[in-house]
Amino acid sequence: GLGAPALTALIAPPNIQPPLARVMTNGGSAGTWLALGYILYITIGVLAVGLTALFYHHLEVVTNRPVRGFANYLAGVHLILMNVGVAAVCGILMYGGYVGGANMLPTSEGGLGLAQAIQLLDGLVGPASYALVVAAFGVLCGGLCFLVSYFKK
């Protein structure tokens, strides 16, 4: 939960040039990457961790099925890879959105006046995809942990 306020403080200082609001509104489609990355981090990166805790609480306390042995390792892999993957994907989206949107601003506003930012954003698609695969693998490990623990005798 501490990551979201820290991230907000890092990306929203008043002295950043060009300002974030200008990049998101005037930066065209590249600026929306910034907004999408931030919103996804808040919803998935923060809320999914709480929901995951609720799932593990339900499994261990309500159904009285402790997570032990191999399932414990799966739970650890789940929590680490999901958090790292989501943070990486959202960070890449926010970075690409800011850089692309800032470069699409008119030169009078501090940008390069580019009509499109595809050249800038194209190099970020691969790393974002790999980070998404890491997050998805973590989620699959969590699901397998739940199934192994639930059906264990």
Side-chain angles (χ1 to χ4, degrees), residues 4 7 12 15 33 46 52 92 97 102 104 111 117 120 127 130 134 143-144 149:
L7 179 65
N15 59 350
W33 278 40
V46 176
T52 299
I92 291 168
M104 288 178 68
L120 301 168
Y130 294 132
V134 167
L144 186 59
S149 297

Side-chain angles (χ1 to χ4, degrees), residues 32-99:
T32 58
W33 278 40
L34 174 65
L36 180 66
Y38 184 74
I39 290 168
L40 285 176
Y41 181 74
I42 296 297
T43 56
I44 296 173
V46 176
L47 295 178
V49 172
L51 186 60
T52 299
L54 183 65
F55 285 152
Y56 285 120
H57 176 268
H58 176 77
L59 181 65
E60 292 197 274
V61 176
V62 176
T63 64
N64 198 23
R65 299 199 190 310
V67 177
R68 284 187 266 171
F70 180 65
N72 195 29
Y73 292 112
L74 287 172
V77 169
H78 167 222
L79 294 174
I80 292 170
L81 291 185
M82 183 183 73
N83 285 310
V84 168
V86 167
V89 168
C90 294
I92 291 168
L93 284 173
M94 288 185 286
Y95 172 77
Y98 181 76
V99 171

